Amino acid sequence: MPSTDHGAGFGPADRLAQDPESVRRRFWIKFKKVVGSLPFAEELLAAYYCAFDRQTPRHVQASLLGAIAYFVLPFDFVPDMLPILGFTDDAAVLATAIRMVASHITPEHREAARAALKRGVDEAPLDPSSR
């Protein structure tokens, strides 16, 4: 994906966002580990499905991939292991990205997120096109 100014604004996340396949793989690994403690799991999954939807415009994909890349990074401004506060920075980055591109997150993306959570993330597809 070409360089863009629509990333998370955090160098390591922006670099990771340039490799969508790595983001995809690392997303599911981390998501499965922390889904029980994520109050924004459905929004994060909807953003993920939007980011990997071929119909989503490139600038929207870039913004969401930057936010998702920040989520999957092994280090944060606020470590994810801290009770209550651990995911606040991830939530803030994701909320900002979603606000910027909200009109592109479709009811289908949201339904795919609800369905994945309902059936359990162990069965969640690695490829959103397999929905």
Side-chain angles (χ1 to χ4, degrees):
M1 191 172 282
S3 180
T4 178
D5 62 350
H6 299 286
F10 181 61
D14 290 340
R15 283 189 297 279
L16 178 60
Q18 297 301 313
D19 182 6
E21 288 309 311
S22 181
V23 172
R24 182 190 310 253
R25 185 180 62 257
R26 292 171 74 173
F27 172 83
W28 286 109
I29 291 167
K30 183 166 184 181
F31 188 80
K32 289 175 183 182
K33 288 180 186 175
V34 300
V35 66
S37 59
L38 283 179
F40 56 94
E42 187 175 315
E43 284 296 306
L44 179 58
L45 272 177
Y48 171 88
Y49 286 126
C50 181
F52 285 98
D53 185 339
R54 290 182 184 101
Q55 301 302 314
T56 300
R58 288 274 194 216
H59 71 281
V60 173
Q61 288 177 332
S63 294
L64 292 174
L65 281 172
I68 292 167
Y70 183 82
F71 168 75
V72 302
L73 285 173
F75 55 88
D76 277 336
F77 289 122
V78 180
D80 293 339
M81 281 69 115
L82 293 175
I84 302 171
L85 296 177
F87 291 108
T88 56
D89 58 328
D90 299 281
V93 169
L94 183 65
T96 300
I98 288 174
R99 230 176 288 123
M100 289 174 22
V101 300
S103 63
H104 295 281
I105 299 176
T106 67
E108 290 79 15
H109 298 137
R110 295 186 188 287
E111 180 54 37
R114 280 190 293 277
L117 289 171
K118 186 175 181 179
R119 75 176 166 268
V121 293
D122 287 336
E123 299 174 26
L126 293 178
D127 181 355
S129 64
S130 67
R131 299 186 261 139

